[in-house]
Amino acid sequence: MAVFRSTFLILGSGVTGLSLGLKAAPHGTVNIVTKKKANESNTNYAQGGIAAVLDKTDDFQYHINDTLEAGAGLCHHDAVELIVKTGPVMIRELIDLGARFNIQNDGTFELGREGGHSHRRIVHAHDLTGREIENVLIDNVKRSSNVVLFQYHFVADLVIDSKGRCWGAWVWDEKNLVMHLFLASVTIVCTGGCNRVYYHSTNPYIATGDGIAMAYRAGAEIANMEFIQFHPTAFKNPPDEEPFLISEAVRGEGAVLRTLDGHAFMPAYHTMKDLAPRDIVARAIDHEMKTRGDACVHLDVSHLSEQFFRERFPHISEYCISKGVDVPHDPIPVVPAAHFTCGGVVTGLDAETTIPGLFAAGEAACTGVHGANRLASNSLLEALVFATQALNRSIETGMHRHEPPEIHATWTTGQHNQSLEAVRIVNCRDALRRLMWDYVGIVRTDDRLNHAKIRCNVL
């Protein structure tokens, strides 16, 4: 076992962790721990973009209202106002770091529109915005002498002293098969959501809610975990293949959802039709599939020219064609899939949790921004803003200057049959994912939830 000490310990390497690491570097040493490659995160899969008020016809209040409406009345107004009004500053910071977003001929941003937004305000890099941001942040992190990135290191548990303060984490080195102790003055959970608990998910395999779980075990307050957002339009693949996200920006460009017999059904569910908030669209698709007995619905993009579609959505276009769907001439088969965790570790506006020394930001946190349902493209914005809030708070209070105590306890891994344990974990994981999809999905009932609880207790 080795002991690694730093001023800041950041758990996770998505946009939250990487941006926080860069900003924290001038104020102390930074260790960033991630359980896979640094770019394997939900950020890297974010196609749509970042919502920010940048057009003269738009207004902060419009963005605030759209967010509150999408959140079904459960958003915290002060948190929403914070991210909206900070949005343009965050965009400028990313550009200064080297991010390249789509620009029009007149030099202004090429702004997209997505479900729930009353105006065009989505800054994007074609249909791979998350990847663009992630790569820029990683490049900058690698050039920072004060930041050390530990890849293939799995965080097992937080280090909590007898007074309830957090001083870092126990971390499993997956390549060397040894547990390490990471001590830090400030620890920030940026581990993302838990959407891989569902059978159909748009998230990578790493999105298993580890950070939320370990914060809960340590005594942190958790809230709103029932609010799982299902993205309405994942490409309909066979059960043994990974779903592929069809960005909401496609509907922002006028795509229409239709039943397999060609009926445009969204006008019957919401006045914004195909641009209604995600939860409404997902429930509408779920209802149509169940009442008709269909395995999917169609996303009609035939009104768009081939040149426009392939230039605006090159990644989506390439994927669809690889699956035999000749976009935009053919409709895209789509189904809902678990996409975003609206709840998480409870924090205030300063990103502090209920455990001293522990912060949380990004999808792992419950900041009050999203309420019961996230407005499209608010997630990257929230992550950037609350990463900054966490750093500012730790510096303001002098928390980053606290010296971690000596921790003498060792982690006992015990003896086990590795092959047998692996089989048990895989079987339990697969059973849980199917159980969650069948009984704790888009539409829930008390009977189904009670049955799921009983089944979970015997897994």
Side-chain angles (χ1 to χ4, degrees), residues 7-12 16-17 20 24 155 158-160 164-169 184-192 211-212 214-216 218 220-222 344-367 383 385-402:
T7 310
F8 301 92
L9 174 61
I10 298 172
L11 311 179
T16 316
L20 176 56
V155 183
L158 297 172
V159 175
I160 308 294
R165 192 194 193 281
C166 181
W167 291 107
S185 306
V186 177
T187 304
I188 310 98
V189 175
C190 310
T191 51
I212 300 173
M214 71 180 72
Y216 175 76
E221 183 180 350
I222 309 294
V345 186
V346 174
T347 75
L349 292 182
D350 51 17
E352 278 191 285
T353 72
T354 52
I355 295 178
L358 182 67
F359 292 76
E363 194 175 352
C366 181
T367 64
V385 171
F386 276 88
T388 304
Q389 292 292 103
L391 175 63
N392 290 344
R393 179 60 175 171
S394 67
I395 294 172
E396 174 188 303
T397 59
M399 197 179 300
H400 66 303
R401 297 194 186 96
H402 294 181

Side-chain angles (χ1 to χ4, degrees), residues 288-322:
E288 293 293 330
M289 288 170 56
K290 286 177 177 175
T291 55
R292 293 172 177 267
D294 294 334
C296 65
V297 297
H298 281 160
L299 187 63
D300 181 5
V301 294
S302 60
H303 69 292
L304 298 173
S305 71
E306 184 173 319
Q307 180 180 354
F308 176 86
F309 191 89
R310 298 190 179 182
E311 288 180 356
R312 175 66 176 86
F313 306 108
H315 186 52
I316 295 173
S317 178
E318 180 182 352
Y319 184 86
C320 288
I321 291 172
S322 74

Side-chain angles (χ1 to χ4, degrees), residues 19-282:
S19 62
L20 176 56
L22 283 174
K23 291 184 176 181
H27 304 280
T29 54
V30 181
N31 285 335
I32 300 178
V33 173
T34 182
K35 65 181 179 180
K36 294 297 180 185
K37 287 184 178 180
N39 63 354
E40 184 67 8
S41 67
N42 279 346
T43 298
N44 201 42
Y45 289 76
Q47 294 178 352
I50 306 176
V53 176
L54 296 164
D55 187 83
K56 61 183 179 181
T57 64
D58 201 1
D59 185 86
F60 286 145
Q61 194 58 51
Y62 295 150
H63 190 180
I64 291 170
N65 291 344
D66 291 344
T67 302
L68 297 175
E69 175 68 21
L74 294 179
C75 303
H76 296 178
H77 191 283
D78 53 356
V80 173
E81 185 175 2
L82 171 66
I83 71 159
V84 167
K85 292 187 175 180
T86 315
V89 176
M90 296 294 102
I91 299 297
R92 176 49 57 190
E93 287 184 0
L94 289 173
I95 292 173
D96 290 343
L97 288 173
R100 297 167 297 176
F101 298 115
N102 285 33
I103 302 295
Q104 301 183 107
N105 292 333
D106 63 0
T108 60
F109 288 104
E110 180 186 277
L111 300 173
R113 187 182 176 193
E114 297 179 355
H117 287 275
S118 58
H119 292 71
R120 285 186 173 268
R121 63 171 69 101
I122 313 303
V123 179
H124 61 92
H126 297 291
D127 56 350
L128 286 173
T129 308
R131 185 174 299 178
E132 171 69 16
I133 296 171
E134 185 94 348
N135 289 341
V136 165
L137 291 174
I138 289 173
D139 287 343
N140 280 273
V141 162
K142 288 180 177 178
R143 289 197 295 267
S144 175
S145 60
N146 239 14
V147 181
V148 181
L149 183 62
F150 292 83
Q151 300 183 96
Y152 298 99
H153 280 66
F154 186 98
V155 183
D157 238 335
L158 297 172
V159 175
I160 308 294
D161 69 12
S162 59
K163 296 180 180 179
R165 192 194 193 281
C166 181
W167 291 107
W170 292 99
V171 179
W172 177 251
D173 182 338
E174 296 186 13
K175 289 190 173 181
N176 296 309
L177 302 180
V178 62
M179 190 71 75
H180 298 308
L181 177 60
F182 280 72
L183 294 177
S185 306
V186 177
T187 304
I188 310 98
V189 175
C190 310
T191 51
C194 62
N195 303 295
R196 266 287 159 184
V197 76
Y198 284 94
Y199 188 62
H200 294 295
S201 172
T202 63
N203 292 181
Y205 278 109
I206 62 166
T208 49
D210 313 318
I212 300 173
M214 71 180 72
Y216 175 76
R217 291 195 301 270
E221 183 180 350
I222 309 294
N224 290 2
M225 291 303 295
E226 69 272 29
F227 296 135
I228 299 293
Q229 183 181 75
F230 289 79
H231 197 288
T233 53
F235 191 96
K236 177 61 175 68
N237 274 322
D240 59 341
E241 290 187 30
E242 285 297 295
F244 176 86
L245 178 65
I246 304 298
S247 170
E248 195 146 352
V250 177
R251 282 182 285 125
E253 297 296 346
V256 176
L257 286 162
R258 300 183 184 276
T259 55
L260 299 189
D261 60 5
H263 173 64
F265 57 86
M266 279 309 302
Y269 291 91
H270 198 275
T271 56
M272 293 184 75
K273 303 176 184 177
D274 297 272
L275 284 176
R278 285 179 178 174
D279 60 329
I280 293 171
V281 180

